[in-house]
Amino acid sequence: MARLVIVSNRVAVPEEGGKAVAAGGLAVAVKEAFSSYEGLWFGWSGTVTENPAEEPTLIDRGRVQYAVVDLSPQDHKEYYAGFANRALWPIMHYRLGLGAFSRSDYSGYSRVNRTFARALAKLVEPDDIIWVHDYHLLPLASELRGLGLANPIGYFHHIPWPAADVFNSLPASGDLLRAIADYDLIGLQTDPDVQNLSRNLIDTMRAIPLGGGSLMVDGRRTRIRSFPIGIDVDGFREAADKAGSNKVVRETIAGLRTRKLLIGVDRLDYSKGVPERMEAVSSFFASNPDQRGNVTYIQITPKSRSEVPEYEQLAREVNETVGEINGSLGDPAWTPIQYVTKAYPRPVLAGLYRAARVGLVTPMRDGMNLVAKEYVVAQSEEDPGVLVLSKFAGAARQLPEALLVNPYDRFEVAEAIRTALYMSRGERLERWKPMAERMTREDVDWWARNFLTELEHFRTVEREPPTAAQAAE
Ligand SMILES: O=P(O)(O)OC[C@H]1O[C@@H](O)[C@H](O)[C@@H](O)[C@@H]1O
């Protein structure tokens, strides 16, 4: 059986006995990819230690072997908290003002990619296909090629790929564009992301388009295509169906009494637009005073990347915003915003989504946004709620029946909340049905299968040099 090797910064090693760990979107998606392969999942152990071992720790769990490496404090600071999350993350999310580039962080990022490649190369067999995930590992294929690996290597970028002028503001952008072309297949979330990267490679690297998404860059052929990531629809729907028996869900619903629920669930990240959303909810109550006391907004926002100063600052800003809004609008019998920073497991979230009349998913920019998809899938088919979705989330392309909003315009979002709350059941059903069908068709399995089927081609056909006609195109 052909082996699949997955590489990602975070690795979700299941507990012994097959019990899955609490997993984010990336981990669930990657797990799905192993359903038709055996193989290896390589990445950071999540541990930071003074003297990390050079060899990865190997953990066997059935058909998948996990190979994890620790990071030194310097690696963690420069590679993860520094270049990946203070330079690449803001730039990829179009937040030029938040980007903090440092040469030492970039050299740490390059060093960790090199160290990962050296450790991984020893574990890869000639027949393996390799699938690398996310922005922490842009140069990995290039490092692996430098060590002589000729295996098909694919890359999936979970976050947005910005327009050339934005990306090229990053001082290391030229190196990264050169390095990314060492992947055989590059998967992005949406077609605009594909256009942004392809255009940049053509204009900046003089790449030659070969048709069908293929480009010749510096004598190497790569293909760029969109593969919108999906969710585990069956698992999520089942969780929502069973959620009524969950204590947290039951008590939350009981606490609402007759109030309608607005829900937001996001990692605490400035790309998610949490304070902006709170301001929009505040505007809604300001212009709809009759709704005060009739609607509750629950915002669940687990803390994230607290070691990065911009995230610490955001945590303070959100606390202040919640305090101000609750203080000025609330009364002893009603708190407009219930804000929690605890992470809840899937059954609780699925139950809360189902109970919520409105799902508020209003990122300032997002590669895809799986919460939007989960909210849709969790709805009851008799009485579905309404999704208010940012037009700057990749998911908006697959969910055009949602109420699409500009998250920078708090009044537009406030108006959409009002429309959602007053929407008839007939219109809610009409909007929800096509979205639910699309989510079911385009689920995580569809996503993984599409990417891997295409990556498999690179074992043979795609490696052949372009014909004269293609090269002249
Ligand atoms: O791994 P972190 O920094 O805690 O962030 C959580 C996840 O955030 C996602 O949005 C990224 O695409 C993932 O790669 C990442 O793992």
Side-chain angles (χ1 to χ4, degrees):
M1 195 184 203
R3 275 198 347 161
L4 169 66
V5 175
I6 297 248
V7 194
S8 58
N9 176 57
R10 288 208 188 263
V11 177
V13 183
E15 283 169 22
E16 225 156 348
K19 196 166 165 263
V21 290
L26 185 145
V28 171
V30 165
K31 208 175 109 239
E32 190 63 36
F34 281 120
S35 59
S36 29
Y37 289 86
E38 50 186 51
L40 177 76
W41 187 351
F42 180 97
W44 176 35
S45 62
T47 302
V48 177
T49 172
E50 269 317 323
N51 292 306
E54 271 178 30
E55 302 301 321
T57 306
L58 299 177
I59 305 156
D60 285 306
R61 291 281 184 271
R63 55 200 287 167
V64 180
Q65 184 177 56
Y66 295 79
V68 291
V69 285
D70 297 343
L71 292 178
S72 72
Q74 189 187 358
D75 289 344
H76 182 259
K77 180 170 167 284
E78 295 174 349
Y79 149 80
Y80 172 77
F83 190 72
N85 285 319
R86 286 196 87 191
L88 281 176
W89 181 272
I91 297 286
M92 294 290 189
H93 287 85
Y94 290 71
R95 298 295 282 270
L96 284 177
L98 291 177
F101 176 83
S102 111
R103 271 178 200 284
S104 54
D105 285 352
Y106 180 54
S107 95
Y109 177 82
S110 310
R111 181 181 65 244
V112 170
N113 270 273
R114 205 169 314 124
T115 313
F116 274 21
R118 284 199 193 122
L120 177 64
K122 294 184 195 151
L123 303 170
V124 171
E125 290 164 18
D127 270 352
D128 293 345
I129 57 170
I130 304 174
W131 190 4
V132 178
H133 289 260
D134 237 354
Y135 59 101
H136 315 85
L137 301 170
L138 286 168
L140 195 76
S142 182
E143 295 292 347
L144 290 169
R145 300 281 181 229
L147 296 169
L149 261 73
N151 307 57
I153 313 181
Y155 171 78
F156 187 76
H157 191 70
H158 290 252
I159 63 177
W161 195 287
D165 278 352
V166 176
F167 184 75
N168 295 349
S169 69
L170 189 67
S173 57
D175 288 1
L176 296 174
L177 286 177
R178 212 164 297 121
I180 201 170
D182 270 315
Y183 287 101
D184 293 301
L185 177 63
I186 300 168
L188 299 167
Q189 298 276 24
T190 66
D191 290 342
D193 294 329
V194 169
Q195 282 148 20
N196 286 340
L197 174 58
S198 308
R199 206 54 267 159
N200 203 354
L201 286 169
I202 293 166
D203 292 346
T204 313
M205 306 297 299
R206 302 197 182 162
I208 304 163
L210 302 173
S214 295
L215 290 174
M216 192 55 110
V217 194
D218 258 352
R220 255 200 75 83
R221 189 180 173 132
T222 185
R223 174 176 289 178
I224 309 178
R225 261 202 55 193
S226 67
F227 297 88
I229 195 167
I231 62 163
D232 168 18
V233 171
D234 296 339
F236 212 83
R237 197 170 281 143
E238 197 187 318
D241 285 342
K242 287 189 184 152
S245 60
N246 184 286
K247 190 165 172 273
V248 180
V249 175
R250 263 202 336 265
E251 289 178 358
T252 310
I253 295 174
L256 289 171
R257 286 185 263 157
T258 56
R259 287 182 189 122
K260 286 187 179 152
L261 174 61
L262 313 177
I263 193 148
V265 177
D266 312 78
R267 243 177 354 91
L268 185 61
D269 194 299
Y270 48 79
S271 65
K272 304 291 183 186
V274 174
E276 292 84 352
R277 186 183 310 160
M278 289 176 168
E279 295 294 354
V281 171
S282 164
S283 293
F284 164 75
F285 285 122
S287 51
N288 296 274
D290 58 315
Q291 290 301 314
R292 294 185 192 171
N294 291 336
V295 175
T296 293
Y297 165 33
I298 296 183
Q299 176 63 46
I300 298 178
T301 305
K303 292 235 166 97
S304 168
R305 305 180 191 161
S306 309
E307 60 276 65
V308 177
E310 290 74 20
Y311 287 72
E312 231 194 325
Q313 161 67 26
L314 175 70
R316 280 195 296 272
E317 188 188 341
V318 174
N319 286 341
E320 263 173 40
T321 310
V322 175
E324 257 170 47
I325 297 175
N326 282 344
S328 62
L329 288 179
D331 60 41
W334 172 64
T335 308
I337 306 181
Q338 295 183 8
Y339 173 59
V340 253
T341 57
K342 204 168 135 182
Y344 287 92
R346 182 160 84 167
V348 174
L349 295 178
L352 296 179
Y353 292 147
R354 177 161 297 184
R357 170 51 61 88
V358 185
L360 289 178
V361 184
T362 56
M364 313 316 278
R365 186 67 67 169
D366 215 330
M368 178 51 61
N369 198 300
L370 298 181
V371 170
K373 297 188 168 187
E374 290 172 355
Y375 178 78
V376 167
V377 166
Q379 297 310 299
S380 94
E381 52 186 53
E382 275 90 47
D383 191 22
V386 182
L387 175 64
V388 174
L389 177 61
S390 162
K391 60 183 175 187
F392 302 127
R397 305 184 73 78
Q398 287 167 294
L399 299 168
E401 297 85 359
L403 294 179
L404 296 184
V405 293
N406 172 5
Y408 290 89
D409 184 346
R410 59 192 277 187
F411 301 108
E412 188 180 315
V413 178
E415 192 49 40
I417 293 173
R418 184 187 154 80
T419 308
L421 285 170
Y422 286 98
M423 193 179 284
S424 68
R425 179 169 166 270
E427 184 175 349
R428 282 187 277 125
L429 275 166
E430 209 173 290
R431 287 175 178 272
W432 174 75
K433 264 197 177 148
M435 296 198 282
E437 280 163 17
R438 215 171 294 120
M439 294 304 92
T440 306
R441 251 188 343 262
E442 300 175 358
D443 69 351
V444 67
D445 177 50
W446 169 86
W447 167 79
R449 232 177 324 109
N450 280 346
F451 189 95
L452 289 167
T453 306
E454 191 140 343
L455 187 58
E456 287 281 359
H457 286 309
F458 289 89
R459 286 185 191 281
T460 49
V461 212
E462 305 280 346
R463 282 292 174 71
E464 286 159 15
T467 61
Q470 279 175 325
E473 244 179 57

